[in-house]
């Protein structure tokens, strides 16, 4: 069969292939410790579920406006205005079936073939996939491992910029490193954006998944709200990954085009679940708080146990539900210089299933350190303890 040529440029989220491998290993009676996929085993808060069920019973089962129901757009605009310190109205909000659709729709709206896009690598793999699929030129920027956190290599990022650079993807509170930009980093990036007349996709999927303090949005810096589209999602804060609900939030001319893309793609997002989201944003806040406290306990246990493994060094991010430990010495001690061989041996000898740096965009020239990524959103404390103890025995053995 002859498929369209553009399909050759479409990437994927290879973490799903790791899931399939882990499932196949589990299907033969083996115990699997699922650290690979950023899905959640925590239920959606009951008030959110009840509001969605009620809406369904009340007949909210037909099409709804392609930009989302007005009340949800209003309350989301109010919430994002308050948490980001920028004034948005419902005109700035277009509801999406998840956070992910904002990536492709942002690029479809602003990218011409041959335009260059700066994006993080390691980073969420869909950026690279969609940039290349839509004819853009990928310009990855890297993170450096510091004492306390990963930081963006701003000098290397600046060196990537040419007159063809048009867009920047910023995932502050980052998957996979868990990094949060410092105010200096944000200011330096805002200078770059203004100097080179860039538009920005602010992927804020983890804005509310933080354990201390408050998140700061890049859009709050002077001149940025006019140039940024926020990727918002209900998936993580409300443990709603499978519901598929999110939003694109930004300047009206861009948001209007994204709404038009909705008409062409899915017509509208699922109608009755939008009532669940309204309840999430306006009702009892104890559900998201509980989710955070569960995740925080898991983070603390994972970091402690990972750092007890010889040859592994794991930073302790204050946000996201990911860890990105440096496993270079552990791999060397076990005689591995290949990510996939290490990951598969770990799975088959211990049942511990993880992703590696390879699942987060093509590695960049000059990378000398090896990293794996663990998600602790889908695994309970006893399994974390058992799995990471097996991991230690594997490295020590
Ligand atoms: C950085 C980042 N952006 C976007 C998404 C997409 O989230 P959603 O489930 O809302 O589509 C994810 C999901 O893991 C993510 O890690």
């Amino acid at each position: 069969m002859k498929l369209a040529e553009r399909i050759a440029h479409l990437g994927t989220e290879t973490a799903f292939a790791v899931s399939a491998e882990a499932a196949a290993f589990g299907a033969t009676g083996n115990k699997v410790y699922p650290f690979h996929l950023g899905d959640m085993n925590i239920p959606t808060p009951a008030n959110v579920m009840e509001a969605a069920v009620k809406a369904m019973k009340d007949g909210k089962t037909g099409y709804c406006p392609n930009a989302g129901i007005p009340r949800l757009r209003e309350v989301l605009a109010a919430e994002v205005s308050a948490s980001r310190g920028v004034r948005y109205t419902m005109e700035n909000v277009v509801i999406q079936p998840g956070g992910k659709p904002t990536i492709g729709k942002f690029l479809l709206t602003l990218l011409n073939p041959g335009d260059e896009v700066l994006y993080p690598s390691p980073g969420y793999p869909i950026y690279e996939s969609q940039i290349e699929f839509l004819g853009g030129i990928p310009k990855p920027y890297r993170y450096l491992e510091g004492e306390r956190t990963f930081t963006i290599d701003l000098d290397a990022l600046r060196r990537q910029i040419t007159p063809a650079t048009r867009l920047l993807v910023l995932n502050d509170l980052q998957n996979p490193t868990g990094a949060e930009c410092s105010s200096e980093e944000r200011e330096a990036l805002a200078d770059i954006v203004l100097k080179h007349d860039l538009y920005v996709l602010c992927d804020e999927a983890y804005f509310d998944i933080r354990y201390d303090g408050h998140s700061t949005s890049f859009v709050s810096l002077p001149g940025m709200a006019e140039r940024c589209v926020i990727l918002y999602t209900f998936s993580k804060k409300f443990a709603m990954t499978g519901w598929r609900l999110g939003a694109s939030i930004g300047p009206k001319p861009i948001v209007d085009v994204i709404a038009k893309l909705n008409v062409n793609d899915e017509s509208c997002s699922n109608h009755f679940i939008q009532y669940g989201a309204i309840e999430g944003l306006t009702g009892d806040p104890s559900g998201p708080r509980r989710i955070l406290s569960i995740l925080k306990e898991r983070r603390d246990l994972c970091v402690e146990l990972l750092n007890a493994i010889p040859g592994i060094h794991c930073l302790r991010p204050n946000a996201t539900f990911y860890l990105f430990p440096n496993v270079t010495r552990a791999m060397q001690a076990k005689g591995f210089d290949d990510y996939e061989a290490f990951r598969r041996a770990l799975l088959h000898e211990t049942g511990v299933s993880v992703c590696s740096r390879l699942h987060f965009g093509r590695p960049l020239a000059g990378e000398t350190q090896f990293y794996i990524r663990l998600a602790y959103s889908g695994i309970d404390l006893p399994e974390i303890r058992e799995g990471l103890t097996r991991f230690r025995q594997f490295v020590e053995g």
Side-chain angles (χ1 to χ4, degrees):
M1 188 184 294
K2 200 166 179 325
L3 300 176
E5 282 163 22
R6 76 175 78 84
I7 296 302
H9 303 287
L10 186 65
T12 185
E13 206 171 327
T14 45
F16 284 107
V18 177
S19 293
E21 252 181 72
F25 182 69
T28 50
N30 299 297
K31 171 113 182 157
V32 173
Y33 300 89
F35 288 101
H36 51 271
L37 198 59
D39 205 351
M40 302 177 80
N41 68 345
I42 304 171
T44 305
N47 60 327
V48 173
M49 292 202 266
E50 281 154 18
V53 170
K54 178 173 182 311
M56 189 170 10
K57 288 186 177 160
D58 288 349
K60 309 293 188 200
T61 50
Y63 294 121
C64 68
N66 47 70
I69 59 175
R71 178 78 184 130
L72 177 56
R73 293 171 68 203
E74 265 168 29
V75 297
L76 188 51
E79 141 63 24
V80 172
S81 299
S83 53
R84 273 71 169 178
V86 172
R87 206 182 115 61
Y88 290 115
T89 69
M90 65 176 273
E91 304 276 285
N92 302 109
V93 176
V94 52
I95 301 300
Q96 300 296 322
K100 193 185 260 184
T102 292
I103 300 171
K105 288 174 186 174
F106 167 86
L107 293 170
L108 272 168
T109 304
L110 292 164
L111 180 81
N112 284 309
D115 287 346
E116 294 175 356
V117 188
L118 299 159
Y119 68 100
S121 181
Y124 192 50
I126 298 307
Y127 311 137
E128 193 168 86
S129 168
Q130 288 281 343
I131 292 164
E132 294 186 343
F133 182 57
L134 296 171
I137 310 294
K139 290 283 182 155
Y141 61 86
R142 64 179 181 172
Y143 279 81
L144 303 173
E145 185 181 353
E147 288 282 300
R148 295 170 57 88
T149 180
F150 287 86
T151 55
I152 295 174
D153 185 347
L154 286 167
D155 290 334
L157 182 147
R158 285 192 189 93
R159 284 197 297 273
Q160 289 276 44
I161 299 175
T162 77
T165 309
R166 183 151 156 73
L167 303 175
L168 166 70
V169 178
L170 178 63
N171 177 207
D172 196 1
L173 306 188
Q174 208 243 2
N175 178 9
T177 61
E180 174 176 16
C181 285
S182 63
S183 47
E184 291 76 23
E185 270 174 305
R186 280 190 207 104
E187 278 161 25
L189 287 167
D191 285 347
I192 291 170
V193 166
L194 291 175
K195 182 168 172 208
H196 297 281
D197 191 18
L198 307 180
Y199 283 81
V200 188
L201 171 64
C202 289
D203 184 337
E204 297 189 348
Y206 299 95
F207 192 84
D208 297 300
I209 304 295
R210 68 174 301 129
Y211 307 114
D212 286 304
H214 294 283
S215 297
T216 302
S217 174
F218 188 62
V219 301
S220 66
L221 275 78
M224 289 304 105
E226 297 85 331
R227 295 174 169 274
C228 291
V229 173
I230 296 175
L231 178 157
Y232 182 94
T233 181
F234 290 89
S235 294
K236 322 284 174 178
K237 178 175 181 181
F238 299 101
M240 287 170 67
T241 50
W243 292 54
R244 310 310 301 137
L245 200 65
S248 313
I249 303 170
K252 185 172 177 333
I254 300 178
V255 159
D256 286 349
V257 176
I258 294 182
K260 194 169 174 185
L261 290 167
N262 286 3
V263 180
N264 281 270
D265 284 353
E266 61 277 314
S267 293
C268 61
S269 294
N270 183 317
H271 189 171
F272 52 86
I273 68 173
Q274 296 184 43
Y275 290 87
I278 293 170
E279 170 62 24
L281 291 171
T282 57
D284 177 6
S286 65
R289 275 197 215 125
R290 187 175 158 271
I291 293 168
L292 276 184
S293 82
I294 294 172
L295 291 172
K296 188 177 184 190
E297 261 191 282
R298 294 181 186 178
R299 177 204 59 178
D300 290 344
L301 184 62
C302 286
V303 171
E304 181 197 322
L305 294 177
L306 282 166
N307 279 323
I309 302 177
I312 293 191
H313 175 61
C314 184
L315 294 172
R316 189 166 176 277
N318 189 28
T320 78
F321 39 61
Y322 303 114
L323 299 170
F324 200 58
N326 186 328
V327 294
T328 313
R329 284 189 299 113
M331 277 178 65
Q332 279 163 355
K334 292 286 289 177
F336 289 101
D337 59 2
D338 173 73
Y339 272 126
E340 282 300 88
F342 179 69
R343 185 185 65 73
R344 290 210 171 100
L346 183 63
L347 174 65
H348 289 109
E349 290 183 34
T350 68
V352 172
S353 182
V354 298
C355 288
S356 77
R357 189 268 175 264
L358 291 187
H359 300 100
F360 297 92
R362 276 188 297 273
L364 309 181
E367 286 185 16
T368 56
Q369 301 296 296
F370 288 88
Y371 297 90
I372 57 172
R373 193 207 69 174
L374 290 87
Y376 50 84
S377 49
I379 180 162
D380 293 321
L381 293 172
E383 272 71 37
I384 290 175
R385 190 175 291 287
E386 206 173 283
L388 296 184
T389 303
R390 285 180 167 224
F391 193 165
R392 180 162 53 75
Q393 288 159 353
F394 167 79
V395 172
E396 285 173 346

